Amino acid sequence: MATAGLYRRLLPCPPAVEFASSQGKELFLEAIHNGTMEGFYKLVSHFQTQSEPAFCGLASLSMVLNALAIDPGRKWKGPWRWFDESMLDCCESLEKVKVKGITFGKLRCLAQCAGAKVDSFRASHSSINDFRKYVIKCSMSDDCHVISSYHRAALKQTGAGHFSPIGGYHAGTDMALVLDVARFKYPPHWIPLKFLWEGMNYVDEATGQTRGFMLVSRPHREPGLLYTLSCKHESWINIAKFLMDDVPLLLKSEDVKDVHQVLSIIVNSLPSNSEQFIKWVAEIRRREDGGPSLSAEEKARLAIKEEVLKQVQETGLFRHVSSFLSNSCSRESSDDENALPVIAASVCCQGAEILSGKHCSPAGYSCQVTCMKRLKAEDDKPITMVSGTVVNGNTEQGVDVLIPSSCRKLACTCSGPSKYMRMHPASTDVLTVLLLSLPSTTWAGITDKQLLAELHGLVSTENLPTLLQEEVLHLRRQLHLLKRCQEGKVDQDLGAHLS
């Protein structure tokens, strides 16, 4: 028996012009002729309807991420990697979003966690001329897309706060094409830019901040080529607080005289499960996907990761970290061949988790390494492939992990319960990169001027090679965002934009 409910709404025209109307088609053709519909085609190829009444932000973002061809790095359904609203649960739980929606700041955080480059602007710190400039810029290109956060009342529509991507611009009428993801309510429509701008100037009661718009684009390279921070792990809040708040206070309170003492204070004070905070980004494949041969794409990515790893190990800070850990830990083995399977087993578990599309505790997985092969890339550089069988409950999964080679030892793994870090692929590499990613203010409390100068020389990003510098700055941006999430401040104004 049919039950009563709402079927669509009548689009208020004016101020809107329905996209499928005669006038809407005319505006569309004129905008194409003027070159301000270039972003439309990829967006409309991925146009989706939000699956929940409060999922407008998630639907807008997944639509834009797919239009930009950003790889989520984990499975959606079947064997496919694809952004869906259900994949966007990094900065806010889906259960909470389903009830209350998502704020402007949290959506920006989600976009960056997903690997996009984001420039965000609140209406209170921008102008309609700025907004128009960026709408035109993205309408003339398919390399960036605008997501607008506005209040429907300004458009004479029913409802409150809403997110939708902008699909194009008509210069003659100064109208933007809103690809409304609530397609069950309103169809795509043209709206005068001044009405949309008015809607973005409404204050969001949840944050006390005005709404705004964000430019979402694909970074010139994939972020986190070898290392990335994880806000999935349950301990990330404590670890982010420790790194950003506690470390500077610890260094200020102690009378440190050398780099070894600095490292000792940090490592001995690390919260538990710190190894889950920073992930090594391996190249992971299902074993049944094919033989040991590597695709050209895999070889290219491995070559870049190899170079990042090499650049890490050539820093002066790495030498200090390596010396400190080798004096502090008891090696299980100094032989790469013996250490590698242990490292690979951990990464295989990480790979199985990613391929399953589930984010469970790594403790739920165990791995039996069954095969390790040395392969050669086209330039004859060695590449290690470790095959493992990962067990999770009653299920088994074959996983191949492609690992960049290193001419150095794979660092120590501490035996027994210990405060020291146990990470993959090596404690030395990971700890070095994590220390480089800390803000420069971390070391300001050190009173010994000579030591402070030495540390600044070791952790400065200015003289790092380009690849490593980008890797470190990416981690620093991640850490900054996670810190603001931990403080509940992602919706506070961060200035005109955050890139």
Short mmCIF file of all heavy atoms in Angstrom, two decimals, residues 69 91 225:
data_model
loop_
_atom_site.label_atom_id
_atom_site.label_comp_id
_atom_site.label_asym_id
_atom_site.label_seq_id
_atom_site.Cartn_x
_atom_site.Cartn_y
_atom_site.Cartn_z
N ALA A 69 39.34 12.09 -11.00
CA ALA A 69 40.04 10.80 -11.15
C ALA A 69 41.08 10.60 -10.06
O ALA A 69 42.19 10.14 -10.31
CB ALA A 69 40.68 10.69 -12.53
N CYS A 91 37.05 12.25 8.82
CA CYS A 91 37.02 13.34 9.80
C CYS A 91 35.74 13.39 10.62
O CYS A 91 35.66 14.15 11.58
CB CYS A 91 37.22 14.68 9.09
SG CYS A 91 38.76 14.76 8.15
N LEU A 225 53.52 9.71 -1.00
CA LEU A 225 54.04 8.64 -1.86
C LEU A 225 54.55 7.46 -1.05
O LEU A 225 54.35 6.31 -1.41
CB LEU A 225 55.16 9.19 -2.74
CG LEU A 225 54.71 10.04 -3.92
CD1 LEU A 225 55.90 10.68 -4.60
CD2 LEU A 225 53.95 9.18 -4.92
#
